[in-house]
Amino acid sequence: MSDLLRPASAADLVTEAASLLEVLRADPPLTHCITNSVVTGFTANVLLAIGAAPAMVDIVGESGLFAGIASGLLVNLGTPTPEQREASFEAVEGATASGTPWVLDPVAIGALPVRTALAHRLAEQRPTAIRGNASEILALAGLSAGGRGVDATDSADAAIDAARALASRFGSVVAVSGPVDLITDGERVLRLANGHELLTRVTGGGCALGAVMAAFLGAARARATPPLLAVASASLVYTVAAERAASASTGPGSFAVAFLDALAAVQPADIESAARVETAAL
Amino acid sequence: MSDLLRPASAADLVTEAASLLEVLRADPPLTHCITNSVVTGFTANVLLAIGAAPAMVDIVGESGLFAGIASGLLVNLGTPTPEQREASFEAVEGATASGTPWVLDPVAIGALPVRTALAHRLAEQRPTAIRGNASEILALAGLSAGGRGVDATDSADAAIDAARALASRFGSVVAVSGPVDLITDGERVLRLANGHELLTRVTGGGCALGAVMAAFLGAARARATPPLLAVASASLVYTVAAERAASASTGPGSFAVAFLDALAAVQPADIESAARVETAAL
Amino acid sequence: MSDLLRPASAADLVTEAASLLEVLRADPPLTHCITNSVVTGFTANVLLAIGAAPAMVDIVGESGLFAGIASGLLVNLGTPTPEQREASFEAVEGATASGTPWVLDPVAIGALPVRTALAHRLAEQRPTAIRGNASEILALAGLSAGGRGVDATDSADAAIDAARALASRFGSVVAVSGPVDLITDGERVLRLANGHELLTRVTGGGCALGAVMAAFLGAARARATPPLLAVASASLVYTVAAERAASASTGPGSFAVAFLDALAAVQPADIESAARVETAAL
């Protein structure tokens, strides 16, 4: 484990995740998504299932205003049209002015020049959280040319130094998705072992998690939960639901359906009993 | 109940809905959709399931021509890119010139300036029908600043005066979605109590209904059915299918799947036995 | 049967399809898709289910570079925005320069002028394969004004002369979808009788097949499989999976789910036992 990182408390996380899930359902956070054309429908369905209120507003002239009234914002770079690129900057400006927490998902950056430049410029705006696979986090930190696309070609642990560097540079929580998810604020680290391989066989499995992080960050505002715990809570609830769905599935099609059902059904007590949070040294 | 409104006949509606469903399946109406990027796939699947022929043509230079040959047209403002905005006016012009009935769905207007201005301009083109939740109908009538997004923050009944005003001003049938759907042509009113809460947990649950209304308006042309009954028939078939799907579901994921199956399976006799049409005074 | 066409060997096809499926899963081809907004999510899920690696890169400034590193490319004209039109030419140029096989799907051409002109220009770039229904193939060959949309209004056999003409003119394999799929390289012809009517009740049923053809062409590069057999292998695996899914379905919603499960589960031996390849004269 890197010398400067110490584990956050697993018990704190599990308790907070259970509480935030209740808060979110009692007062659904308006979750503003600028996301890619492949996963818009799935992302909205994930947010609805878990209990949040999605709104896909990616039009210039509307996104800045809307980010100001939303509870949380996601900016996902999966298919960044010129309209979305401009709307993203407008949204981030609106979010920053209003204190709306926001998540940057730098999908498939590295080899692809338009989104890579865009991700670097957006990161300079100090996102509340950055979510990606190891390849994307390495590329954003300038330590790799990125993967072939949205597949991680590196394990999450391989990106720990890049994640820490990004967290310190931009004041962001950085979440690296993989078989074990790694989440850090630059000082503390959490490793979450829940989840299921089928989540990687459904398009949007990672992208929708970014939206759920934005929703949890929105819900966390009422409780003054630290962003590290809000982001990790989103990951924990999401991956526990994935495990429950996998046990009721016979392939990626039935898994996606069962996953939405599980997100709607999962209860705080389920999180507490199923959580596999590792705080041991890396 | 508003003095000037009298209930339409419930028996007429149920009979007409059953007949239109048969007509639609015997000669699938080509249903032209300009709709938002979140729900395009679901909307097309809903139309295919019920027996219509969807075509998502939202390109400048094609949409006007296509609206002229289509049986019905939907213009949904959920994610109105500049290309879609221009294509929408082109389509409405083509529809108007050819007598193609068309539906306007003013998604999330009120607080969001681009779509709000767009909705007002499109309404001036006298849509055959306007579909929205109470917040959107109030905003289009100039009586509210609109909701936070696509959620209705007002009940359908709260929008009855706004609906009547819009119907009279633009010669449109106005459908207000809610736990009880309210449909009026400005003189008569129908209240439909079928449906299920799970429909609000699936993205596109409302948007796809607008497309089904366009399909039923298309099918109704052969029978000279009044638009009020065609729009209400669409709502009735849609919500009866939703009830059947809910009884076979364990959450929003399985509901969306069962809903498509139910739309394909529902028969005219099912509509007649399950309809809960209220004609009592408001 | 046309005088100049002779049947390819059914046994060769079945053996090759089984082998290519194994090759694809062992080394997932990076499959670059420029496709329409209605089917992006379904297409990505189909590719993930079968074992390929989808990447939807349709941005100017990225698509050319990406086509050069991808294993296969699909250009589908279902909703061709100006950005996608420019990105398509860029991608085809990149694919051609790098030897990346690519598939053209001329969705709904004929009556719609923007995509029709686009399809003719792209065909001049000599796609490795062209996939469409009979109406689209007839329209691309200049023999018909096309259908009303994505519905085939002609049977696949009606397009055999058009398919052969296109194959000869552009050096392409031409696949005509229908109850019996017809695939030709201009000299040989294969007729595949597998499949199920429910595939036409799910949006993207045809479009996603084009992406699977791109994936199989990508996998075939390692084996130097002739494009005719690679394209037909994609069709065969796809339609055998559809048959298996249909037997587990109660309508179009459950079919789409079961289809993804079946694509993930289908084994080379299943292809060999279920294939219904016709090599008899037309």
Side-chain angles (χ1 to χ4, degrees):
Chain A
M1 182 177 184
S2 303
D3 294 345
L4 300 176
L5 287 177
R6 58 193 171 75
S9 158
D12 284 355
L13 170 59
V14 174
T15 303
E16 190 62 27
S19 297
L20 278 178
L21 181 58
E22 286 188 330
V23 168
L24 181 148
R25 286 178 177 161
D27 185 14
L30 184 60
T31 307
H32 179 185
C33 300
I34 297 177
T35 193
N36 70 74
S37 60
V38 189
V39 305
T40 41
F42 183 68
T43 299
N45 279 329
V46 162
L47 288 171
L48 285 169
I50 206 167
M56 273 56 187
V57 178
D58 59 358
I59 300 298
V60 174
E62 292 188 344
S63 67
L65 184 153
F66 199 72
I69 60 175
S71 302
L73 166 69
L74 167 70
V75 179
N76 172 300
L77 308 185
T79 53
T81 58
E83 178 83 6
Q84 276 201 342
R85 299 200 290 266
E86 188 175 344
S88 294
F89 284 105
E90 185 183 306
V92 167
E93 190 174 346
T96 302
S98 301
T100 305
W102 66 286
V103 178
L104 174 65
D105 190 335
V107 179
I109 66 163
L112 295 169
V114 174
R115 67 191 68 203
T116 303
L118 181 63
H120 286 299
R121 286 182 59 203
L122 286 167
E124 297 285 346
Q125 303 303 310
R126 304 180 69 82
T128 314
I130 299 169
R131 192 213 76 81
N133 59 37
S135 296
E136 293 156 350
I137 297 301
L138 286 164
L140 191 60
L143 300 175
S144 156
R148 301 187 312 165
V150 293
D151 288 322
T153 54
D154 300 285
S155 79
D157 283 347
I160 180 63
D161 290 333
R164 189 177 55 178
L166 288 174
S168 300
R169 195 185 316 166
F170 300 122
S172 307
V173 171
V174 178
V176 191
S177 296
V180 173
D181 297 322
L182 191 153
I183 300 165
T184 182
D185 60 1
E187 299 186 352
R188 294 168 295 172
V189 66
L190 285 160
R191 300 177 84 241
L192 311 186
N194 293 95
H196 196 278
E197 181 271 341
L198 275 170
L199 205 48
T200 68
R201 300 289 295 275
V202 174
T203 196
C207 294
L209 173 55
V212 173
M213 288 175 177
F216 272 74
L217 284 165
R221 294 167 79 178
R223 292 170 58 84
T225 305
L228 177 71
L229 289 187
V231 168
S233 293
S235 235
L236 182 56
V237 172
Y238 195 82
T239 52
V240 167
E243 288 178 1
R244 294 165 68 93
S247 69
S249 304
T250 55
S254 51
F255 171 76
V257 173
F259 182 52
L260 294 174
D261 282 2
L263 285 168
V266 70
Q267 294 302 319
D270 301 323
I271 306 302
E272 289 168 345
S273 63
R276 296 205 306 277
V277 182
E278 301 178 5
T279 57
L282 292 173
Chain B
M1 184 178 181
S2 302
D3 293 344
L4 300 177
L5 288 178
R6 58 192 171 76
S9 159
D12 284 356
L13 170 58
V14 174
T15 303
E16 190 63 26
S19 297
L20 279 178
L21 181 59
E22 286 187 329
V23 168
L24 182 149
R25 286 178 176 159
D27 185 12
L30 183 60
T31 308
H32 178 185
C33 300
I34 298 178
T35 194
N36 70 75
S37 60
V38 189
V39 306
T40 41
F42 183 69
T43 300
N45 279 329
V46 161
L47 289 170
L48 285 169
I50 206 165
M56 273 56 186
V57 179
D58 59 357
I59 300 299
V60 175
E62 292 188 344
S63 66
L65 183 152
F66 199 71
I69 60 175
S71 302
L73 166 68
L74 167 71
V75 178
N76 172 301
L77 308 186
T79 53
T81 58
E83 178 83 6
Q84 275 201 343
R85 298 200 291 268
E86 188 175 345
S88 294
F89 284 105
E90 185 183 305
V92 167
E93 190 175 345
T96 302
S98 301
T100 305
W102 67 285
V103 178
L104 173 65
D105 190 335
V107 179
I109 65 162
L112 295 169
V114 174
R115 68 190 67 200
T116 303
L118 181 63
H120 286 300
R121 287 182 59 202
L122 286 166
E124 297 285 347
Q125 303 303 311
R126 304 180 69 82
T128 315
I130 300 169
R131 191 212 76 82
N133 59 37
S135 296
E136 294 156 351
I137 297 302
L138 286 165
L140 191 60
L143 299 175
S144 156
R148 302 188 310 166
V150 293
D151 288 321
T153 53
D154 300 284
S155 79
D157 282 348
I160 179 63
D161 290 333
R164 188 178 55 178
L166 288 174
S168 300
R169 196 186 314 167
F170 300 123
S172 306
V173 171
V174 179
V176 191
S177 296
V180 173
D181 297 322
L182 192 153
I183 300 164
T184 182
D185 61 1
E187 299 185 353
R188 293 168 296 172
V189 66
L190 285 159
R191 300 176 85 240
L192 311 187
N194 293 94
H196 196 278
E197 181 271 342
L198 275 169
L199 206 48
T200 68
R201 299 289 296 276
V202 175
T203 197
C207 295
L209 173 56
V212 173
M213 289 175 177
F216 271 75
L217 284 165
R221 294 167 80 176
R223 291 170 57 83
T225 305
L228 177 70
L229 289 186
V231 168
S233 293
S235 236
L236 183 56
V237 173
Y238 195 81
T239 52
V240 166
E243 288 178 0
R244 295 165 68 94
S247 69
S249 304
T250 55
S254 51
F255 171 76
V257 173
F259 181 51
L260 294 173
D261 283 2
L263 285 168
V266 70
Q267 294 301 319
D270 301 323
I271 307 301
E272 289 169 345
S273 63
R276 295 204 307 278
V277 182
E278 301 179 6
T279 58
L282 290 174
Chain C
M1 182 177 183
S2 303
D3 294 346
L4 299 177
L5 289 177
R6 57 193 172 75
S9 158
D12 284 355
L13 170 59
V14 174
T15 304
E16 190 61 28
S19 297
L20 278 178
L21 181 57
E22 285 187 330
V23 167
L24 182 148
R25 287 179 175 158
D27 185 14
L30 183 60
T31 308
H32 178 185
C33 300
I34 297 178
T35 193
N36 70 75
S37 60
V38 190
V39 305
T40 41
F42 183 69
T43 300
N45 278 330
V46 161
L47 289 171
L48 285 169
I50 207 167
M56 272 58 187
V57 179
D58 58 358
I59 301 298
V60 175
E62 293 188 344
S63 67
L65 183 153
F66 199 71
I69 61 176
S71 301
L73 167 69
L74 166 71
V75 178
N76 172 299
L77 308 186
T79 53
T81 59
E83 177 83 8
Q84 276 201 342
R85 299 200 289 267
E86 188 176 344
S88 294
F89 285 105
E90 185 184 306
V92 167
E93 189 174 346
T96 302
S98 301
T100 306
W102 67 285
V103 178
L104 175 65
D105 190 335
V107 180
I109 67 163
L112 295 169
V114 174
R115 67 191 68 201
T116 303
L118 181 63
H120 287 299
R121 288 183 58 204
L122 286 166
E124 298 285 346
Q125 303 303 311
R126 305 180 69 82
T128 314
I130 299 169
R131 191 211 77 82
N133 59 38
S135 296
E136 293 157 350
I137 296 302
L138 287 164
L140 190 61
L143 299 175
S144 156
R148 302 188 311 164
V150 294
D151 288 322
T153 53
D154 299 284
S155 79
D157 282 348
I160 179 63
D161 290 333
R164 188 178 56 178
L166 288 174
S168 300
R169 195 185 317 165
F170 300 122
S172 307
V173 171
V174 179
V176 191
S177 296
V180 174
D181 298 323
L182 192 152
I183 299 164
T184 182
D185 60 1
E187 298 186 353
R188 295 168 294 172
V189 67
L190 284 159
R191 299 177 85 240
L192 311 187
N194 293 93
H196 196 278
E197 181 271 342
L198 275 170
L199 206 48
T200 68
R201 300 289 296 275
V202 174
T203 196
C207 294
L209 173 56
V212 173
M213 288 175 176
F216 271 75
L217 284 165
R221 294 166 80 177
R223 291 170 58 83
T225 305
L228 177 71
L229 289 186
V231 168
S233 293
S235 236
L236 183 56
V237 172
Y238 195 82
T239 51
V240 167
E243 288 177 0
R244 295 165 68 94
S247 69
S249 304
T250 56
S254 51
F255 171 76
V257 172
F259 181 51
L260 294 174
D261 283 2
L263 285 168
V266 70
Q267 294 301 320
D270 301 323
I271 307 301
E272 288 169 345
S273 63
R276 297 205 305 279
V277 182
E278 301 179 5
T279 58
L282 291 172

